[in-house]
Amino acid sequence: MEQKKGLVKTAVQFVKFGIVGVSNTLISLVIYYIGLYFGIYYVISNVLGFFAGTLNAYYWNNKYVFRKEEGEERSTAKSMVKVFVSYGISLGLSTALLVLWVDVVGIHEKIAPLLNLCITIPLNFVMNKFWAFRAEKKAGL
């Protein structure tokens, strides 16, 4: 019964993580397009969007998806750095996969990013759940 409860909790977290992910994507894209509108170099606009989306991810994943349970503690600074590392790994992986799908396999550049999501979303969820937001029991408990 406890194992079933844990699976349901993880499934709910995954759905919440997906909702947060949609907001991250929207924020990243809005910042990217605003940067382009104001004549900011597209790579810089992309980096600004990445940082804004990742800050959003940290805030909502910390507050809504991977909340600390009673008797647990977690370092805010460590969690934030780990979230940026997690999302940075996903960004690097998705970029490498994009090149593979488009230039090597021949998948259309508009379809390839959708394939990446099937890999990077679950990977990012696992990195965030079990590494970035892993809480520790408070001392003395």
Side-chain angles (χ1 to χ4, degrees):
M1 185 64 157
E2 195 66 34
Q3 185 179 12
K4 185 177 177 182
K5 207 177 193 181
L7 287 174
V8 169
K9 179 182 177 184
T10 298
V12 168
Q13 283 178 324
F14 188 74
V15 169
K16 289 179 178 180
F17 186 80
I19 293 167
V20 169
V22 169
S23 71
N24 302 341
T25 302
L26 291 174
I27 289 169
S28 295
L29 287 173
V30 166
I31 298 295
Y32 176 75
Y33 288 122
I34 288 172
L36 293 181
Y37 177 80
F38 285 106
I40 298 173
Y41 183 56
Y42 76 93
V43 173
I44 294 171
S45 293
N46 189 52
V47 169
L48 293 173
F50 168 77
F51 275 102
T54 303
L55 283 174
N56 180 71
Y58 172 77
Y59 178 80
W60 288 110
N61 283 327
N62 187 53
K63 187 166 188 77
Y64 178 63
V65 180
F66 303 112
R67 288 182 286 190
K68 290 186 287 188
E69 303 284 331
E70 189 176 325
E72 293 179 336
E73 56 185 33
R74 175 171 53 218
S75 165
T76 301
K78 275 180 155 177
S79 292
M80 187 177 289
V81 168
K82 288 178 179 181
V83 166
F84 271 92
V85 169
S86 297
Y87 279 84
I89 289 169
S90 287
L91 178 64
L93 177 62
S94 83
T95 301
L97 287 172
L98 193 62
V99 170
L100 173 72
W101 299 141
V102 174
D103 293 341
V104 177
V105 179
I107 295 172
H108 194 277
E109 61 190 17
K110 291 183 179 174
I111 301 297
L114 300 176
L115 294 175
N116 287 348
L117 294 175
C118 296
I119 297 166
T120 58
I121 290 172
L123 175 65
N124 229 348
F125 176 76
V126 168
M127 285 190 294
N128 277 269
K129 179 175 176 65
F130 296 108
W131 183 56
F133 290 103
R134 187 184 75 216
E136 299 175 14
K137 298 290 181 194
K138 287 184 180 177
L141 294 179

